[in-house]
Amino acid sequence: NLRSGDKVLMTYDLGVGYPDGDTLFNVPDITLYRGEVAAIIGPNGAGKTTLIKLMVGILRIQTGQIEILQAPLGKYSQKRLAKALAYVPQGLPVGFPFTVEETVLLGRAPHQKVLGLASQDDLDITQQAMEFTEVAHLARRKLDQLSGGEQQRVLIARALCQQPQVML
């Protein structure tokens, strides 16, 4: 439904800080458009990951506003947000014995019915995402058997499997 030039993510007057009100840093206003690729760069500890976690709703906004697809982040249910936006974390806690295929299939959860049963369409999309990220040959392997780079490809495949309009 998005057209070229549509705003997909905006932040304005965003301040990040502690619950007691002390501000750690202020974020410059950000506007990202459909099809645009952007990078957040800075030294370790500068707040890059914190900013991304704010944008995906993992951390709570203290001041300012974040909009996804021109709607305030706070107006999204978790399921609706997961259909609109995917997040690829820096790493994966590999405490669960999931296979690559099971992990990638988790990306389909926002699109599945109440019981969460995978349709043939879900399985096809999962396979396509694994092929695109070149992890299809690892489908039956457990995550803890993979290298860090392979695990990252699995996380990217899971995000692609969500078929989001915005990916962070």
Side-chain angles (χ1 to χ4, degrees):
N1 297 359
L2 289 174
R3 294 182 310 248
S4 181
D6 285 350
K7 295 177 186 175
V8 295
L9 188 141
M10 289 179 56
T11 70
Y12 46 93
D13 298 326
L14 200 59
V16 179
Y18 292 111
D20 64 9
D22 288 343
T23 300
L24 291 174
F25 61 92
N26 291 304
V27 178
D29 292 352
I30 299 169
T31 302
L32 298 177
Y33 298 90
R34 181 182 187 272
E36 196 169 38
V37 176
I40 300 170
I41 58 172
N44 291 344
K48 301 177 299 290
T49 300
T50 298
L51 176 59
I52 295 293
K53 287 181 177 181
L54 285 166
M55 289 177 176
V56 299
I58 293 172
L59 297 177
R60 206 168 261 211
I61 300 168
Q62 284 190 303
T63 63
Q65 183 75 22
I66 296 175
E67 292 184 2
I68 306 293
L69 304 172
Q70 301 180 28
L73 183 60
K75 298 283 185 186
Y76 281 87
S77 68
Q78 284 186 332
K79 185 172 185 169
R80 185 171 160 235
L81 183 61
K83 286 181 178 182
L85 183 129
Y87 166 60
V88 180
Q90 289 181 12
L92 175 70
V94 188
F96 298 98
F98 288 124
T99 65
V100 167
E101 184 175 38
E102 290 167 336
T103 302
V104 176
L105 184 58
L106 287 173
R108 296 303 303 156
H111 303 278
Q112 295 172 345
K113 304 284 187 229
V114 177
L115 295 177
L117 299 174
S119 67
Q120 186 59 52
D121 191 43
D122 293 329
L123 297 173
D124 291 345
I125 292 167
T126 298
Q127 183 64 33
Q128 290 169 2
M130 289 190 302
E131 288 172 6
F132 183 77
T133 57
E134 299 179 358
V135 295
H137 67 287
L138 304 171
R140 303 279 180 249
R141 299 254 313 266
K142 303 285 186 190
L143 290 177
D144 62 357
Q145 298 173 340
L146 305 180
S147 72
E150 289 168 332
Q151 288 178 11
Q152 199 64 34
R153 285 177 179 261
V154 171
L155 293 177
I156 293 167
R158 182 181 68 183
L160 291 171
C161 204
Q162 278 179 244
Q163 296 183 316
Q165 296 181 65
V166 179
M167 188 167 10
L168 300 173

